[in-house]
Amino acid sequence: MSFLHPEFLYYMLPLIVILFGLLLTQKESHATFFSSEVMQRLRVSSNTLTLKARNALFFLIAVLMTLALAGPVIKDGKIEVTAKSADIMIALDISDSMLAEDVYPNRLKLAKQKALELLRLAPNERIGVIAFAKNSYLVSPLSFDHEAVAFLLKKLNTNSITEQGTDFMSMLQVVDKSIKKDAKKYLLILSDGGDKKDFSQETAFAKKHDIAVFVLGVGTPQGAPIKLENGEFIKQNGKIIVSKLNDKIADLATKTGGVYIESVNSDADVKAMLKEIERHSKKKELKSEQIEKYIPLFYYPLGLALLLLLIATSSMSKRVKVEVPGLFVLAILLGNPAPSYAGLLDFMHLDEAKNAYKHKEYEKSAKIYDSYAKKSNRSESYYNAANALYKAGKYKEAVRNYEKATFDDKAARAKNFSNMGNAYAKMGNEANLKKAIESYEKSLKLHEDKDTRENLEAVKKALKNKEQKKQQQQNKNQKNKNQKNKNQKKQQQKNQKKQQNQQNKDNKKNEKKQDKNNQKNNQQQNNKQDSKNSKGKKDKKSEQRKSQKPSEEEKKQQEKNGEQQKNQKQKEQKKKEQQQKSQQKSAEKKQKKDKKKSASASAAQAEKMKNRMSDAEEAKWLKSLNNEQSTYLYRLNQSNKKKENSNEKPW
């Protein structure tokens, strides 16, 4: 066993021995006034610790705490630690063209943010900065002190170099001089590319001096005018200049073994660029050292000292009634509902959780952090557990842990709300996207952050797309529903039309049937009439004469009756059978009446004609009547014509 800090033993133990030696040998104040025999009689025995016993315990406690401070350890072998780095030089274009606002907020500010993000993502790399326009200057040499590099980087602006323009050759020369010539050089250029179209000279120089160029293009192909600080735009020959991203600079990157990437609003481009640099670079060894590995033992003397402190501060007795102020304080502490704190050995578990997180064992890390958070009720533990659950894809559990993490610091609370918004956004549905927007807005109220602002805009856009898709689906469903209703209406109309056609067909059939019945009745009446006419030949001519002339009027009357019957049929289609019966009865009655009327009318007409016409005229008239059909009914069928008999008498 050895001590990491033996100076505590050398300087503190002698002082402790001297101090407690004086305390142990010092008499009580009242012992100077009374003798030991008197004090023995006056003292009441309480079976508790004496003053010397307590002082002895305090002395032992001080010795144990000093041993714990000295750091007792057991050697556990040696570990070789090697520091490696791929030296990266960042070249930032600070010419006036970088003031164009085709990217937010402008090209220069965006390029500086990209450089700062690279410093954050590469903590183990040596990074330097060069500012260039028409001339180039070394802002910071290669350094592990990223805070100092970031400080110098933030101070750069277009006024840092008086002569404007963009000269890549001078910048490459500065890079070559700032890095050892025998080392591979990695250069990251943040620029809009300037106006040059041919980079063959720069490419040849980079190849000759072993410089691998990586270019992050800042700007857009559409470009924008260059607005100065006084609000005026840069003009040339009276016209406003529009500066565009020069993609020809990609040749400088690809032909020297590097990569060209156009910038985006998120940090995805920086991450991709760093991966490409690490993939192409060969990290050189800067320093190698062997360090001892130890097993710490300080908690053993420290734990024993705390136990003795508890005993020394207690007044324990063998009697039933005892005064135990130390135990009473301990009971209050144990019974106090205040949050409990971590144990002495919990740092080992936290270190295990941290290592598991680094090795992407997120579920294991989350489990350790969560158990520690429940035991200690610390906001940091809930926050770390939530981050591990988020990485493991368990977003609901992550949100619950983020909600339990409450910080007093505004920046920490803002970060917690931002991460909570990320977890809500990962769930993806509409309700969680709204909650994500609320979390981002709370975070931005506490602390303005570019990434959080970009995430907020992206989530708002995603929510808007979801609402538009939902509205489109609703419109589509409504359109389908309307089309369905329209088809149903068409089908109903078609069915109604079909039923109407069927009803019309049935009506026609009924009309034909009724007409057949009327024809049959007419035929029967004709037969009866023929039988009456055959009773006597003498009366035949007279009958014809009596009935022949009024037949025209009878026809008109019959046609009128037929039209009335047709109209009556169309009006009373629903009562078909009743109509047919009633029509038949009415037809029979009407026929009887017509017979009587026609007989009387024909007799009267015959008398008149007899008085007016001569016998020759009467014979001629009768002959013409015999050639026509003689009937007083509305006949549908054709009757057989009778042969003319010239010998028959007209009467």
Side-chain angles (χ1 to χ4, degrees), residues 456-473:
L456 175 62
E457 297 300 327
V459 171
K460 283 184 178 179
K461 187 176 180 181
L463 180 62
K464 187 177 180 181
N465 292 335
K466 278 186 174 292
E467 290 176 349
Q468 289 177 353
K469 288 182 180 179
K470 186 177 179 181
Q471 186 65 32
Q472 290 175 358
Q473 185 65 30

Side-chain angles (χ1 to χ4, degrees), residues 82-332:
T82 303
K84 293 183 179 181
S85 174
D87 296 337
I88 304 172
M89 187 64 74
I90 298 175
L92 182 64
D93 186 355
I94 58 172
S95 59
D96 283 343
S97 64
M98 296 293 286
L99 295 176
E101 296 180 353
D102 52 349
V103 293
Y104 180 82
N106 60 35
R107 295 177 184 176
L108 181 59
K109 291 182 179 180
L110 181 62
K112 288 162 70 173
Q113 289 295 329
K114 299 296 182 184
L116 293 172
E117 185 67 18
L118 181 67
L119 289 171
R120 188 184 67 83
L121 294 174
N124 300 322
E125 309 295 341
R126 288 202 305 175
I127 296 177
V129 176
I130 293 174
F132 73 98
K134 192 68 174 178
N135 297 316
S136 303
Y137 299 92
L138 179 64
V139 178
S140 171
L142 294 171
S143 174
F144 284 112
D145 190 357
H146 289 182
E147 292 184 2
V149 175
F151 175 79
L152 296 171
L153 184 63
K154 291 177 182 177
K155 299 296 181 181
L156 291 175
N157 54 48
T158 55
N159 297 326
S160 299
I161 298 177
T162 57
E163 192 174 0
Q164 293 299 320
T166 307
D167 189 353
F168 290 95
M169 181 61 76
S170 66
M171 179 264 296
L172 291 173
Q173 291 172 354
V174 173
V175 171
D176 181 52
K177 292 178 181 179
S178 62
I179 303 177
K180 293 181 180 180
K181 293 186 178 181
D182 58 346
K184 178 74 173 179
K185 306 172 186 68
Y186 301 98
L187 173 64
L188 173 60
I189 300 176
L190 300 172
S191 173
D192 55 11
D195 299 324
K196 195 170 185 179
K197 302 299 181 183
D198 184 16
F199 290 89
S200 57
Q201 292 182 356
E202 288 82 356
T203 303
F205 183 87
K207 288 181 178 180
K208 180 179 178 181
H209 295 85
D210 202 13
I211 301 174
V213 180
F214 297 83
V215 179
L216 185 62
V218 183
T220 61
Q222 294 78 20
I226 304 169
K227 187 177 181 181
L228 299 176
E229 293 181 356
N230 57 7
E232 296 181 356
F233 292 102
I234 296 179
K235 298 180 180 179
Q236 186 178 21
N237 298 328
K239 295 182 180 179
I240 296 175
I241 299 174
V242 177
S243 175
K244 300 180 180 180
L245 175 63
N246 183 12
D247 56 0
K248 295 294 183 180
I249 196 174
D251 297 338
L252 178 60
T254 56
K255 293 180 180 179
T256 58
V259 174
Y260 171 77
I261 298 176
E262 287 189 9
S263 65
V264 295
N265 288 332
S266 66
D267 60 352
D269 50 358
V270 179
K271 291 180 179 178
M273 183 63 75
L274 184 58
K275 287 182 180 178
E276 292 295 331
I277 294 174
E278 290 177 348
R279 185 169 65 87
H280 288 80
S281 65
K282 295 179 181 179
K283 293 188 177 183
K284 60 182 179 179
E285 184 176 327
L286 300 177
K287 187 178 180 181
S288 180
E289 184 180 356
Q290 287 187 346
I291 60 173
E292 293 283 351
K293 186 178 180 183
Y294 301 105
I295 299 175
L297 301 174
F298 71 92
Y299 35 81
Y300 293 112
L302 184 60
L304 183 57
L306 293 175
L307 180 61
L308 293 176
L309 181 63
L310 178 63
I311 297 171
T313 55
S314 302
S315 299
M316 294 179 287
S317 175
K318 295 180 180 179
R319 294 178 295 174
V320 176
K321 185 179 180 181
V322 295
E323 296 178 1
V324 283
L327 291 178
F328 181 71
V329 173
L330 179 63
I332 292 175

Side-chain angles (χ1 to χ4, degrees), residues 513-563:
K513 187 175 180 180
Q514 190 172 2
D515 292 340
K516 285 182 180 180
N517 292 332
N518 292 335
Q519 185 177 358
K520 187 176 180 181
N521 293 331
N522 293 334
Q523 186 67 33
Q524 290 177 357
Q525 289 176 359
N526 289 333
N527 293 334
K528 288 180 181 180
Q529 185 67 32
D530 292 338
S531 63
K532 287 181 181 180
N533 292 331
S534 63
K535 287 182 180 180
K537 291 181 180 180
K538 292 180 180 180
D539 298 332
K540 189 173 182 179
K541 288 183 179 181
S542 62
E543 287 290 332
Q544 289 177 352
R545 189 171 56 246
K546 291 177 182 179
S547 59
Q548 192 69 31
K549 189 172 182 179
S551 63
E552 292 179 359
E553 296 178 358
E554 195 65 32
K555 284 181 181 181
K556 292 180 180 180
Q557 185 68 25
Q558 289 174 358
E559 289 176 357
K560 186 177 181 181
N561 293 334
E563 290 177 358

Side-chain angles (χ1 to χ4, degrees), residues 593-604:
K593 289 181 181 180
D594 291 338
K595 285 180 182 179
K596 292 179 181 180
K597 288 181 180 179
S598 61
S600 60
S602 61

